[in-house]
């Protein structure tokens, strides 16, 4: 059974950093697009970054490019999101997701129907 379990969320002052983790199990990790999304209550889920082919390919949306870095450890099937220079508008529930389709990584800004989702971890950035 596929499982994605996020951790690492919390409260941080604006300008600070957090690293989110997502432990994956139950599927062929390196052959899936792994991605991070976030959602604020009352708003649509927002794609942030995707990684594929064991880390050879990465994709970012413009709003986080240069501040967030997606990476993965293939040995223990853990996905990471390093978030730097955090802003209050980054406050949201953050989710990791997995899907076999490379195209979903390439279109992370618009494609949100990933096959598997974690339960989310809350990030709060205060000014």
């Amino acid at each position: 059974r596929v499982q994605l379990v996020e951790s690492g969320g919390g409260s941080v002052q604006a300008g600070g950093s957090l690293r989110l983790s997502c432990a994956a199990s139950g599927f062929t990790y390196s052959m899936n697009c792994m991605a991070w999304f976030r959602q604020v209550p009352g708003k649509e889920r927002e794609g942030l970054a995707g990684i594929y082919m064991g880390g050879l390919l990465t994709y970012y949306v413009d709003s986080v490019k240069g501040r967030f870095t997606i990476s993965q450890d293939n040995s223990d099937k853990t996905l990471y999101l390093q978030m730097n220079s955090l802003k209050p508008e980054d406050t949201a529930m953050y989710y990791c997701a997995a899907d076999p389709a490379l195209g979903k990584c390439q279109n992370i800004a618009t494609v949100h129907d990933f096959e598997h989702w974690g339960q989310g971890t809350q990030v709060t950035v205060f000014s």
Side-chain angles (χ1 to χ4, degrees), residues 38-116:
R38 67 186 178 192
Q39 189 168 23
V40 175
K43 293 191 176 182
E44 284 191 12
R45 190 166 290 182
E46 178 186 15
L48 303 175
I51 190 167
Y52 197 75
M53 293 291 288
L56 292 178
L57 301 173
T58 57
Y59 306 90
Y60 296 91
V61 298
D62 288 343
S63 61
V64 303
K65 201 174 293 183
R67 296 192 301 126
F68 292 8
T69 302
I70 190 170
S71 62
Q72 61 185 149
D73 185 329
N74 295 316
S75 63
D76 65 4
K77 295 186 178 180
T78 302
L79 179 72
Y80 300 101
L81 185 68
Q82 177 67 44
M83 305 186 295
N84 299 327
S85 303
L86 283 162
K87 307 173 183 179
E89 51 264 43
D90 293 318
T91 295
M93 184 72 79
Y94 283 70
Y95 298 89
C96 71
D99 194 283
L102 169 60
K104 295 189 179 178
C105 260
Q106 294 170 318
N107 297 285
I108 192 68
T110 56
V111 176
H112 297 167
D113 59 334
F114 275 56
E115 191 167 326
H116 305 292

